[in-house]
Amino acid sequence: MIKNISNLGDAALYCDFGNEVNKSINSQVIKYFKTIKEKKFEGINNLTPSYNKLIISYDLKKTNFKEVKNYVENINAEDSIDINSKKLEIPVCCHENFSMDIKRLEEILKLSREKILENFLNKEYFCYMTGFIAGMPFLGDLDENMRVQRLETPRVKVPKGSVALTEQFANIYTFESPGGWNILGNTPLDVFDSSKEDKPNLINPGDTVIFKEITLDQYKNYNE
Amino acid sequence: MSSNYLDIIRPGINTTFQDKGRDHLYHIGIPFSGAMDNRNYLIANKLVNNNLDSAVIEFAYQGPHIKYSGEKINFAITGDVIFSIKKEDTEIDGNCYQSYQIEDGDEINIISTNKSVYGYLALGGELDLKFQWNSCAINTKANIGSNDGKKLDVGQRINVKKINSNKDIKKTNYINTKIENIRVIKGTNFDYFSEEGKKIFYEREFTVSKLSDRMGMRLEGPKIDNIVNTNIKSEGLIKGVIQVPADGNPIIMLSDHGTIGGYPKIGVVASVDYDRLVQMSPGSKIKFKEINLSDAETLFKLYEMETQNLLSQI
């Protein structure tokens, strides 16, 4: 349930579902997001679900805080929407060409490369949200012994397809971008495709993802 | 092949096609984009008898030098911009906020914006552009929009699909006003900052840094001290949000911002001041003034009425 609604500036509602990050709170956020999106309230022009918050921005020419707040408070999102999530397998190559931060991970986690991969691969991760850059999925939760902070100095360019870790999450860089996550491998899949306007994202909030290891040869031949 | 087109002789520094922007995409990580200074964008279209949501060429600092080929067409430039129009053997200085007619072989040379950042070039007609999610707005970060999501480049040709039959020359006397204080509404993490930090935010002057673009405006000045946590769990952003990372220097989210961020939000720029905020060039001094939500809503209504009024007089 929404614990508190406040304003973020004069053109957005800030819906707070609590401070914890877990699947049950996030599923609530996603339910509200999908319900409101479906209903197409006049003036709402964007919804941003995250771990435990939902930001609803609106066109101040068409509506205002009071109207949108009143609308959201009277929504019943509890049982109205089927989350309709998918299970996806994502191929990832962890060859040294791609795993740029493996040394750093080995040092900080005090685990061998083999153990790190064993802990990471073939497990189910839940997509909490997508964004920051187009289509980037935030996937959790990593095992307790796999959690590291961001790089002190972010990279100016992280290659497209990089699979990277920070704290309890893994993500995928959908295109070349600056970024500070710890890079473990690379996927040949197009996780974001702007030419598919109705479904540009391969992974959406609520989906489950399993990373499956592929060899460098399989990676190179993947798109042929 | 279109017989009416523009050739880019010099692209300028940051020249893109923009329009009203695209909505309903934050949840997949795509920002609003669109013209940074919305009022000047609308006026430019009105001056050349376009629909108000038509595509225009937006430029920052140095603008493009363009050669036109084809039938007669009107154009207008808005903002605070220095430019010239070259016809055969004559070259005249152009004025913003009035339309001109050009014909085959004429050139428009947009030299620079004057103590501001963005300017707009509207042509009286429809440019042949690719639309993604109902908008041609170029987002260079995600390579979305027309022109493969990239800035305009030298040697490029832009086709004009249709020329407006209404070629009335129009003019307005709009002057871009400078603003002393940028009005802000308290952010959701305002209490993360020390009493001294909050005081600094509202009372001291900041300088717009060179590291500012369509994504964000970085500020330099006295550091704002965080006493709770320099990170929050990543959550949604909107344009105008002022985040303060660990280094204590505020960053204001602008139209191409990342949709999710993990830095505490000290404030949000009131919608009424957004158009004027984006025009503050590097080196400009900026001061924040707190207002409440209901004042912000009223001020925006007045600003919007003024915009409609300006448009109706053109």
Side-chain angles (χ1 to χ4, degrees):
Chain A
M1 282 303 293
I2 301 180
K3 294 216 165 97
N4 185 45
I5 296 180
S6 56
N7 65 302
L8 180 61
D10 54 21
L13 233 66
Y14 183 87
C15 306
D16 189 352
F17 289 73
N19 291 321
E20 285 160 66
V21 176
N22 60 50
K23 271 190 222 176
S24 122
I25 288 182
N26 186 248
S27 300
Q28 288 290 320
V29 176
I30 296 170
K31 270 189 181 174
Y32 267 88
F33 158 65
K34 291 199 172 175
T35 308
I36 298 168
K37 191 163 177 278
E38 205 105 312
K39 294 196 175 176
K40 298 194 168 80
F41 183 80
E42 173 70 12
I44 289 181
N45 55 24
N46 267 303
L47 295 158
T48 323
S50 58
Y51 303 129
N52 47 25
K53 308 282 185 281
L54 175 63
I55 293 183
I56 304 172
S57 42
Y58 48 84
D59 184 346
L60 202 43
K61 293 197 277 288
K62 293 182 181 150
T63 186
N64 60 38
F65 178 70
K66 209 176 147 191
E67 271 179 23
V68 182
K69 181 170 185 254
N70 188 39
Y71 169 72
V72 173
E73 280 171 343
N74 289 299
I75 279 176
N76 180 9
E78 290 312 304
D79 39 33
S80 55
I81 289 278
D82 166 26
I83 282 198
N84 194 18
S85 50
K86 298 184 304 255
K87 247 187 194 182
L88 295 150
E89 283 191 8
I90 304 292
V92 55
C93 177
C94 298
H95 185 271
E96 58 182 10
N97 288 5
F98 299 121
S99 57
M100 297 172 175
D101 292 312
I102 190 71
K103 290 247 149 56
R104 178 184 145 89
L105 289 168
E106 283 176 316
E107 272 166 36
I108 296 174
L109 298 173
K110 300 192 171 50
L111 295 171
S112 66
R113 178 181 181 277
E114 289 67 34
K115 191 70 194 158
I116 290 170
L117 293 187
E118 187 192 313
N119 287 348
F120 178 67
L121 298 164
N122 307 315
K123 286 187 183 162
E124 288 192 353
Y125 298 105
F126 177 78
C127 178
Y128 282 92
M129 59 181 178
T130 50
F132 174 58
I133 59 172
M136 179 187 268
F138 287 73
L139 308 163
D141 297 336
L142 294 175
D143 288 354
E144 296 275 354
N145 63 357
M146 288 283 284
R147 299 181 181 181
V148 289
Q149 298 291 309
R150 283 178 181 76
L151 309 184
E152 274 97 56
T153 309
R155 286 191 171 82
V156 178
K157 283 181 181 178
V158 176
K160 180 190 173 196
S162 291
V163 173
L165 318 177
T166 276
E167 293 169 354
Q168 77 204 71
F169 307 103
N171 78 7
I172 304 169
Y173 283 85
T174 46
F175 46 85
E176 187 182 271
S177 144
W181 290 43
N182 301 272
I183 303 170
L184 184 60
N186 195 292
T187 178
L189 272 187
D190 269 328
V191 180
F192 172 78
D193 182 353
S194 66
S195 69
K196 296 179 186 153
E197 286 195 20
D198 54 335
K199 274 192 170 164
N201 280 8
L202 183 67
I203 306 165
N204 289 289
D207 289 348
T208 304
V209 167
I210 300 174
F211 288 99
K212 294 275 180 191
E213 192 176 19
I214 56 170
T215 64
L216 189 58
D217 278 343
Q218 284 170 319
Y219 181 96
K220 283 177 180 162
N221 297 326
Y222 196 85
N223 290 316
E224 281 175 9
Chain B
M1 276 304 289
S2 170
S3 52
N4 306 305
Y5 53 85
L6 308 166
D7 283 315
I8 305 290
I9 299 169
R10 182 197 66 234
I13 296 169
N14 203 351
T15 306
T16 57
F17 298 112
Q18 295 296 338
D19 58 16
K20 66 205 182 301
R22 45 181 77 83
D23 49 18
H24 301 296
L25 295 162
Y26 273 29
H27 62 284
I28 60 173
I30 299 175
F32 220 95
S33 297
M36 294 286 278
D37 178 343
N38 195 53
R39 182 183 271 181
N40 270 307
Y41 157 70
L42 296 171
I43 297 174
N45 271 324
K46 190 74 198 271
L47 285 166
V48 293
N49 309 303
N50 277 351
N51 290 331
L52 290 180
D53 60 358
S54 300
V56 300
I57 295 175
E58 179 184 274
F59 46 89
Y61 313 110
Q62 186 201 49
H65 181 183
I66 289 169
K67 183 172 181 174
Y68 177 70
S69 302
E71 295 161 39
K72 285 178 180 159
I73 192 169
N74 287 4
F75 83 90
I77 288 175
T78 60
D80 189 353
V81 182
I82 301 161
F83 69 98
S84 67
I85 306 158
K86 200 176 156 197
K87 285 172 171 285
E88 285 179 51
D89 301 327
T90 62
E91 186 160 4
I92 60 156
D93 291 335
N95 293 318
C96 291
Y97 302 104
Q98 78 170 74
S99 51
Y100 294 90
Q101 194 164 88
I102 46 170
E103 55 197 335
D104 196 58
D106 292 353
E107 291 174 21
I108 308 167
N109 189 2
I110 303 172
I111 295 140
S112 71
T113 52
N114 183 27
K115 293 182 195 130
S116 58
V117 183
Y118 296 99
Y120 296 88
L121 163 62
L123 285 133
E126 196 186 330
L127 303 173
D128 187 12
L129 301 175
K130 179 176 134 190
F131 280 67
Q132 274 184 303
W133 293 285
N134 300 317
S135 169
C136 72
I138 293 177
N139 172 342
T140 55
K141 188 165 184 255
N143 293 140
I144 289 169
S146 52
N147 206 38
D148 296 325
K150 293 185 169 65
K151 291 177 195 178
L152 267 65
D153 207 352
V154 65
Q156 208 177 321
R157 178 166 291 183
I158 304 150
N159 290 316
V160 181
K161 235 161 67 177
K162 204 191 102 214
I163 294 177
N164 293 343
S165 52
N166 180 352
K167 292 195 179 60
D168 294 348
I169 293 294
K170 295 189 164 169
K171 195 178 168 181
T172 185
N173 294 318
Y174 187 65
I175 293 168
N176 288 284
T177 49
K178 294 277 180 254
I179 188 162
E180 271 185 29
N181 295 310
I182 292 293
R183 289 163 286 195
V184 297
I185 298 159
K186 205 184 267 183
T188 41
N189 308 111
F190 188 71
D191 291 329
Y192 275 45
F193 301 93
S194 67
E195 287 308 313
E196 182 60 23
K198 293 174 190 171
K199 240 177 111 174
I200 286 172
F201 181 64
Y202 285 129
E203 290 176 8
R204 301 279 292 276
E205 232 173 35
F206 296 88
T207 307
V208 178
S209 140
K210 276 187 214 125
L211 296 169
S212 299
D213 57 17
R214 284 186 50 95
M215 283 185 66
M217 179 185 279
R218 287 172 187 265
L219 304 179
E220 287 163 354
K223 305 282 174 279
I224 300 171
D225 188 27
N226 185 318
I227 49 167
V228 176
N229 195 334
T230 53
N231 282 285
I232 57 169
K233 292 290 173 204
S234 291
E235 59 183 38
L237 294 171
I238 55 167
K239 71 180 189 184
V241 164
I242 308 168
Q243 297 191 108
V244 182
D247 68 7
N249 290 316
I251 305 174
I252 311 178
M253 299 296 107
L254 302 182
S255 304
D256 284 352
H257 65 85
T259 56
I260 284 172
Y263 297 124
K265 303 170 173 72
I266 195 169
V268 186
V269 174
S271 299
V272 60
D273 287 342
Y274 189 81
D275 288 345
R276 283 170 286 192
L277 170 79
V278 301
Q279 292 290 10
M280 300 180 94
S281 53
S284 304
K285 302 289 178 209
I286 192 166
K287 247 181 117 175
F288 297 110
K289 181 172 182 274
E290 187 185 0
I291 58 169
N292 63 33
L293 174 62
S294 99
D295 287 349
E297 287 174 340
T298 310
L299 286 164
F300 181 77
K301 252 182 216 153
L302 293 172
Y303 183 73
E304 180 56 20
M305 272 166 60
E306 195 181 275
T307 306
Q308 291 307 326
N309 208 5
L310 281 163
L311 293 169
S312 69
Q313 285 166 11
I314 296 172

